[in-house]
Amino acid sequence: MNAAKDISVSRDAVADPDVREANARAGRAPAADPAEKASLARRPAHTQAAGRSTAHESARAQVAGAATYIDDIPEVRGTLHAAPILSTVAHGKLLGVDITAALAMPGVRDVILARDIPGDPVLGNFSHDEPVFAKDTVQHIGQVIGVVVADTVMQARSAARKVVCKIEALPAVLSVQDALKAESYVLPPVFVKRGDAAAALKKAAHTLHGTLEVGGQEHFYLEGQVAYVVPQEQHQWLVYSSTQHPGEIQHWVSHALGIANHAVRVECRRMGGGFGGKETQSGQMAVWATLAAYKLQCAVKLRMDRDDDFMVTGKRHPFAYEYDVGFDSTGLLTGLKITMAVNCGFSADLSGPVADRAIFHADNAYFLEDVEIASYRCKTNTQSNTAFRGFGGPQGMIVIEAIMGDIARTLGLDPLDVRKRNLYGIGERDVTHYQMKVEDNILDPLLSRLEQTSHYRHRREAISAWNQGSPVIKRGIALTPVKFGISFTATLFNQAGALVHVYTDGSVQVNHGGTEMGQGLNTKVAQIVADELGVPFAQVLATASDTSKVPNASATAASAGTDLNGRAAQYAARNVRDNLAQFVAGLDHCGAGAVRFVCGPDGGEVITPEGTRPFTEVVKLAYANRIQLWSDGFYRTPKIHYDKTTLTGRPFYYFSYGAACTEVAIDTLTGESRVLKVDILHDVGTSINPAIDIGQIEGGFIQGMGWLTTEQLVWNDKGLLTTHAPSTYKIPATGDVPEHFKVDLWPEPNREDNVFGSKAVGEPPLMLAISVYEAMRDAVGAVKTGDQPVVMAAPATAESVLNSVTVAL
C-alpha cells in the first residue's frame, strides 16, 4: 500500500459542478478537488457519475426553502393538532387524569388517553416493555400520559398544560449507581471474556485501577419530531413521519390500532436530521397522532415543541466505567477487566444492541488478549435512551482510549507510542475478543501517515516548550485511531430492497427502503443507478421512502444506508440493463455481453460492435417490443453471523478506519478550552461522492466534539432534565470549529466486495473526536508533575476541566 497517495482536501474545495462551470465561463480556474480526482482515478472505466462530488440532490431546494418536510405538507381541510400531556413526577402511581379544564379551553376537540387505544396498549417493539400512554404508573418526568387535540397547535399545547394528573410519588432510581445497588435492569447483564484476565492482572508488571463517567447527548435535529396522519378510504391510514424507519412506524401504528400492516402506508421524503433519534422514537409520535386521528376520524398532526422534545425523547446512553488494566514497561496491555454500567432509562428501547456494540468496540484498534467485560443495562426513571450516531461504539472506544492515555502517563511514554504498541497486527494478534478476525487492517500505515502529515512529533515538542513557559494557558495534543465495525449487529436487518423504473423518454426513477436525513443517501444511490444504466446523473430521480413500494425495509442506521440500499438499487438497475442488453443484442446479432451502456457527451449511449444508439432510442424501441423496463433489486450482506448469547462470531462485514490529531488549549484559571487544530485521515474506500463524504467526516467530528466538550445533560434530584433548551444545552457553534481543520482521505478501495468499493462514512468520524478529549487530558496533565492518570469526566465542560486541574494541583 502506498500511503503517499493520500489525498489532501481543503474545506473550501469547490465540489458543485455548476459552480465549476460558472468559474470556467468567467475565465477562472476551477478549484482543486484532489479527493474527487483520486476517486475518479480509482473508479471503473465506464462510470461517469459515481466518484464525483455531485451536489446533494436536494441542495438547491433546501437553500431556496422549497424542500418539503413533514410540517410543510399542505394540510387537508379539517386537520387538527395534537400536543402531549407530560408527567411531572419521575416515578409514581397514576391515580387519575382530570381533563375538565382542558376540554373547556377554546378550540379543544378531545383528549386521547390509554383507554382510547383499540389495539395493544404497549408499543410493538421487540422488548414490549413501553406503554403507548402511561396508564397505572409514570416512570419519568416527561412521560406522555395522553394527547390533547385542538384546532391549532398553540391551543393544543396550552390545553395540555391544563390537564391535571393525580400522581402518588414512588421512590425513583436516578443514577446507574443506584440502579446497580437495586439491581434495577431493563435487560439482564452480559459478560464477555477471553483468556484469564484475573490471572493476567496478577502477573502484570504494572497495574492501574480507574473509573470514568461519560454523559449522554441530545440529538438536537434541526427538524423536531413530527407526524401527520391522514385517514384514507376503507379504514386505511396514510402516515407522514419524520423517521429513519418507516417500516417500524407501519408496524407500530397497525399494532396500536389492531389492524393489518397493509392498511397503513408510511411515507418520508426527507428528515431535517435524525442521528439515531428518529430510528425508534419517531414511532411514538406517529402512534399518538394516529390514535387521535382514529378517534376523531380526521387528519391529525403532532409536531413537538423543542422543550417537550427534550423532555419526552431519549438521548445517547450515558456510561459509567470501572477498570483494572495490567501492562508491561513498554505499555503493552497484558490483562484488562472493564465494567460498563449503561444508563438505559425506563425501558429497553435499543439499549440491548447499543450496549452490545459498546462491548464489541471496547477494543477499538487494539488487541486484547486476556480481557473480561461486564455490561449492566441499568433501568432508571429518566427518558428511555436510544440510538445515537455511533450506537454504543463511541462509549466502547472512549474507555480504552482513556486507558491508553493513563498507561502512557504512568510510564512517562508518548501516548501515541503506547497506542501503536497495542495495535492489531497482520497475521498475528488479529482476532477480536468476540472472535472475529481483522482481515482488512490498515491501522499502522494509516496512523504513521497521519503522524507524518500532522507533524505530530514536532508539535508535541513545541507544546511541551510552550507549557513550560506558560503558567495559565496549557496546551495538549493527542492522535487517536478508530476501527468501527460496519453492519447491523442484529443480522436480520442487513437486507434491503429497491425499485428502478425506466420511462419511455429515458428518464429513470429509483425508490429504495432507505431514508434521506441530509446525509446524501439519495444522491449516492442516484449516482450508482446512473452509472449502472450509463445515463447522466440528472436523468435519475430518487423518490420518497414509502412502505407501499419497498416493504419491510430496515432502518437507515448502522452507517449501512448506502451499502444496503445502494447495492439493492444497483441490482435493480442491472436487471433493467440486462433486459435492454438482450434486446439490443438481438437487433445487432451479437452477444448480450458485447453491449455496453456508457454516458457520452450527449447523454446515455448503448454501444455494440455494430454501432451506437442513444439510450432514449433504445428505451422506446424496447417498449414497442414489450420489454420490461422496470425491476426490483434485493441485497443481503454476506459473511456476517454471530451468537447473540455469547456475543461471538462475525457481526461486521468490514471495518472502517480513521485517525485524528487534535491540539487544544485550556485556561487553568477558568477551565475554558478551545480546539486549535484538527488533522484527520479517514478511510471511506473508493468514495462515491467525495464532497458528501468529507462533509460527513467534518460534521461527525464536530458532533463528537460537542458530546465530549459542551453538551451536558443535567437532571436534578427530582429527576427533572434541567438542560432542555438551547439556552442551557450547548451544541457546538461555527465559532467552535477550529480554523485549521484538515481532512484527508485514505486512498484504497474497500477490500470487501462493497458497492463501488466504498465504505460507510456516517458514524465512524464521530469517534475521531475522542482525540479532543484525550488532548484536553494531555493539557491538564501539563499542570502537574508526576505519573498519576488525569481524572476528568466527560463532557469536559469548563467546570469539569477546572475540577480536573484543581485535583492535579
Side-chain angles (χ1 to χ4, degrees), residues 191-517:
F191 306 94
V192 173
K193 63 180 180 178
R194 174 167 64 179
D196 190 337
L201 286 167
K202 287 181 180 179
K203 293 188 294 185
H206 305 275
T207 59
L208 277 176
H209 175 81
T211 60
L212 174 66
E213 290 195 14
V214 177
Q217 187 177 20
E218 165 64 31
H219 299 87
F220 218 105
Y221 20 64
L222 288 176
E223 176 200 30
Q225 299 278 8
V226 57
Y228 180 36
V229 180
V230 183
Q232 305 291 286
E233 65 172 54
Q234 301 181 67
H235 309 293
Q236 297 172 47
W237 302 89
L238 173 58
V239 180
Y240 297 101
S241 174
S242 181
T243 179
Q244 295 173 237
H245 200 174
E248 187 164 66
I249 298 290
Q250 179 189 42
H251 173 64
W252 283 20
V253 168
S254 61
H255 190 77
L257 292 183
I259 59 178
N261 285 358
H262 70 207
V264 179
R265 175 186 162 208
V266 181
E267 180 180 312
C268 177
R269 173 60 184 90
R270 62 174 60 84
M271 287 165 276
F275 310 118
K278 296 176 181 177
E279 183 173 346
T280 59
Q281 299 204 353
S282 54
Q284 286 91 325
M285 318 298 152
V287 168
W288 298 334
T290 305
L291 289 172
Y294 171 84
K295 184 177 182 183
L296 297 172
Q297 290 297 300
C298 66
V300 173
K301 181 189 289 185
L302 194 162
R303 175 168 54 84
M304 296 289 282
D305 172 86
R306 179 67 71 177
D307 292 83
D308 287 350
D309 201 323
F310 263 86
M311 300 302 294
V312 171
T313 62
K315 326 297 177 189
R316 183 187 296 282
H317 290 71
F319 272 55
Y321 313 85
E322 186 172 358
Y323 61 85
D324 291 281
V325 59
F327 49 96
D328 67 17
S329 59
T330 68
L332 182 70
L333 268 69
T334 56
L336 177 64
K337 293 181 70 173
I338 301 175
T339 297
M340 300 180 177
V342 187
N343 188 336
C344 301
F346 81 97
S347 68
D349 195 87
L350 292 171
S351 295
V354 166
D356 288 350
R357 188 174 277 263
I359 293 173
F360 288 138
H361 287 82
D363 60 339
N364 190 16
Y366 312 113
F367 177 72
L368 308 178
E369 187 165 10
D370 291 286
V371 59
E372 185 176 318
I373 301 171
S375 173
Y376 295 91
R377 292 90 196 271
C378 300
K379 178 176 180 176
T380 60
N381 293 114
T382 59
Q383 293 87 339
S384 184
N385 291 315
T386 190
F388 200 125
R389 195 176 193 171
F391 202 81
Q395 295 97 315
M397 289 185 192
I398 192 170
V399 64
I400 194 66
E401 291 301 333
I403 288 169
M404 292 294 167
D406 290 346
I407 291 172
R409 182 158 184 83
T410 300
L411 297 175
L413 299 175
D414 188 312
L416 179 57
D417 291 333
V418 173
R419 290 185 165 95
K420 293 179 76 172
R421 179 75 175 91
N422 285 282
L423 291 177
Y424 277 103
I426 297 176
E428 60 177 0
R429 294 168 51 85
D430 61 356
V431 178
T432 67
H433 56 292
Y434 48 91
Q435 303 304 314
M436 177 176 172
K437 187 172 183 179
V438 182
E439 299 173 340
D440 55 4
N441 185 356
I442 58 172
L443 284 163
D444 187 66
L446 190 148
L447 261 68
S448 296
R449 177 60 178 164
L450 183 59
E451 179 185 347
Q452 296 170 16
T453 57
S454 67
H455 308 291
Y456 171 83
R457 302 290 179 180
H458 173 74
R459 287 165 63 186
R460 179 161 281 285
E461 291 178 1
I463 287 169
S464 179
W466 165 279
N467 287 336
Q468 289 178 17
S470 176
V472 175
I473 305 299
K474 299 293 184 182
R475 292 188 175 185
I477 190 170
L479 196 161
T480 61
V482 166
K483 176 184 69 65
F484 189 77
I486 304 300
S487 290
F488 286 94
T489 52
T491 304
L492 76 163
F493 292 134
N494 293 288
Q495 58 178 302
L499 296 172
V500 168
H501 298 168
V502 177
Y503 295 95
T504 54
D505 64 351
S507 62
V508 182
Q509 184 186 98
V510 56
N511 185 272
H512 56 86
T515 53
E516 175 63 53
M517 61 194 89

Side-chain angles (χ1 to χ4, degrees), residues 110-129:
D110 208 341
V111 176
I112 314 300
L113 300 170
R115 66 193 180 203
D116 298 308
I117 302 171
D120 193 337
V122 180
L123 289 172
N125 54 21
F126 286 115
S127 53
H128 206 247
D129 65 346

Side-chain angles (χ1 to χ4, degrees), residues 586-644:
L587 296 177
D588 287 2
H589 307 290
C590 64
V595 182
R596 294 186 297 125
F597 293 75
V598 176
C599 185
D602 298 320
E605 298 175 346
V606 182
I607 304 171
T608 73
E610 297 299 315
T612 300
R613 295 180 177 85
F615 180 82
T616 52
E617 178 185 318
V618 170
V619 168
K620 289 176 181 176
L621 285 171
Y623 175 74
N625 284 273
R626 297 181 294 177
I627 303 300
Q628 182 175 330
L629 295 175
W630 63 271
S631 184
D632 63 313
F634 179 79
Y635 174 72
R636 61 178 184 178
T637 309
K639 296 187 177 182
I640 53 175
H641 62 88
Y642 87 102
D643 185 331
K644 291 188 290 186

Side-chain angles (χ1 to χ4, degrees), residues 544-771:
S545 303
D546 188 331
T547 56
S548 68
K549 290 187 176 182
V550 177
N552 312 318
S554 300
T556 304
S559 300
T562 302
D563 289 5
L564 295 173
N565 299 287
R567 186 64 102 184
Q570 184 183 45
Y571 286 170
R574 186 170 296 171
N575 291 338
V576 177
R577 188 194 68 188
D578 290 346
N579 291 345
L580 292 172
Q582 291 177 17
F583 170 67
V584 173
L587 296 177
D588 287 2
H589 307 290
C590 64
V595 182
R596 294 186 297 125
F597 293 75
V598 176
C599 185
D602 298 320
E605 298 175 346
V606 182
I607 304 171
T608 73
E610 297 299 315
T612 300
R613 295 180 177 85
F615 180 82
T616 52
E617 178 185 318
V618 170
V619 168
K620 289 176 181 176
L621 285 171
Y623 175 74
N625 284 273
R626 297 181 294 177
I627 303 300
Q628 182 175 330
L629 295 175
W630 63 271
S631 184
D632 63 313
F634 179 79
Y635 174 72
R636 61 178 184 178
T637 309
K639 296 187 177 182
I640 53 175
H641 62 88
Y642 87 102
D643 185 331
K644 291 188 290 186
T645 59
T646 62
L647 262 65
T648 58
R650 178 173 180 159
F652 308 120
Y653 186 32
Y654 63 87
F655 293 103
S656 286
Y657 299 92
C661 179
T662 299
E663 183 177 339
V664 304
I666 64 169
D667 186 326
T668 59
L669 299 181
T670 65
E672 294 174 274
S673 65
R674 180 170 293 277
V675 177
L676 303 175
K677 292 183 179 181
V678 175
D679 293 88
I680 291 172
L681 178 55
H682 197 71
D683 165 38
V684 298
T686 300
S687 177
I688 295 171
N689 191 312
I692 284 177
D693 286 348
I694 291 163
Q696 286 291 293
I697 293 167
E698 292 177 336
F701 182 91
I702 295 301
Q703 190 170 52
M705 184 177 81
W707 168 51
L708 294 173
T709 57
T710 62
E711 298 186 44
Q712 186 177 30
L713 293 163
V714 179
W715 284 264
N716 67 16
D717 59 1
K718 303 296 184 183
L720 173 68
L721 178 64
T722 59
T723 51
H724 55 81
S727 57
T728 51
Y729 185 83
K730 296 299 183 182
I731 64 173
T734 54
D736 297 308
V737 179
E739 185 174 348
H740 177 99
F741 193 10
K742 184 169 175 282
V743 176
D744 296 349
L745 302 182
W746 181 258
E748 181 186 354
N750 192 335
R751 296 182 186 178
E752 293 292 347
D753 181 21
N754 206 46
V755 60
F756 194 68
S758 65
K759 283 191 175 185
V761 70
E763 293 172 291
L766 186 136
M767 285 147 280
L768 297 170
I770 294 173
S771 62

